[in-house]
Amino acid sequence: MDKADFRFSTPLRVRWSEADPQGIVFNGHYLNFADVGVTEYYRALRAAAGVKPGEGLDGSEFFAARTLLDYKAPALFDDLLDIHLRVSRFGNSSMSFLVGIYREDSLLVSGEIVYVHADQQTRRPTPIPEAFKAAVRAFEHCLPAESGAAIQG
């Protein structure tokens, strides 16, 4: 996983409550770190594309369907981490984020989060709006792969 493949990153400082008595980050917190990254990615995407929160989604939302994290080295209390994310794939109703959590140039955790675009009321998958895909394509410098298959959750 190459940092140069990510246009977006956000810093995050490890807090005391996220570490065990030895000062090592508990593994479950890395998913929270990735989630902070996703939130900040959307904020940066909105700023770059001029899209307001919820605009163009028309009663739909993205729901997490699958997560995978590979632990390579531990983060420690008070480390300054960089959470890198990029949309790596679009399906018809799903998309995948690649995640890289770094301390300086050391990759600590890599992973993938798959989201399904769905109606907020029924939670049934719906196609991702083309305007959203276009905004992501314009934002990223590594274009997402595209396929028509949805992730079933």
Side-chain angles (χ1 to χ4, degrees), residues 3-145:
K3 281 173 78 171
D5 291 341
F6 295 94
R7 175 182 178 198
F8 174 80
S9 70
T10 190
L12 187 142
R13 174 90 49 194
V14 175
R15 298 169 294 189
W16 179 253
S17 64
E18 296 161 335
D20 65 17
Q22 291 78 36
I24 298 171
V25 171
F26 176 68
N27 64 341
H29 289 294
Y30 292 100
L31 191 52
N32 288 330
F33 297 167
D35 191 57
V36 167
V38 170
T39 299
E40 295 304 320
Y41 179 95
Y42 281 127
R43 181 174 283 120
L45 179 64
R46 284 193 307 264
V51 177
K52 296 181 176 92
E55 185 176 352
L57 293 181
D58 300 325
S60 62
E61 184 61 80
F62 286 98
F63 297 97
R66 186 177 82 117
T67 58
L68 173 67
L69 297 177
D70 288 320
Y71 302 96
K72 306 193 181 297
L76 306 172
F77 166 67
D78 207 36
D79 277 351
L80 181 59
L81 306 178
D82 286 312
I83 315 302
H84 291 253
L85 283 107
R86 73 180 179 90
V87 174
S88 62
R89 185 196 61 80
F90 280 122
N92 181 46
S93 61
S94 65
M95 71 175 176
S96 299
F97 276 100
L98 285 184
V99 178
I101 300 177
Y102 291 83
R103 178 181 48 235
E104 297 177 359
D105 287 330
S106 297
L107 177 63
L108 305 180
V109 175
S110 63
E112 179 185 43
I113 305 172
V114 177
Y115 287 93
V116 173
H117 182 255
D119 181 274
Q120 285 180 333
Q121 299 302 314
T122 66
R123 295 197 178 228
R124 300 293 308 151
T126 59
I128 298 171
E130 186 54 40
F132 179 83
K133 289 181 177 182
V136 169
R137 287 185 206 108
F139 181 72
E140 293 287 358
H141 64 250
C142 289
L143 291 178

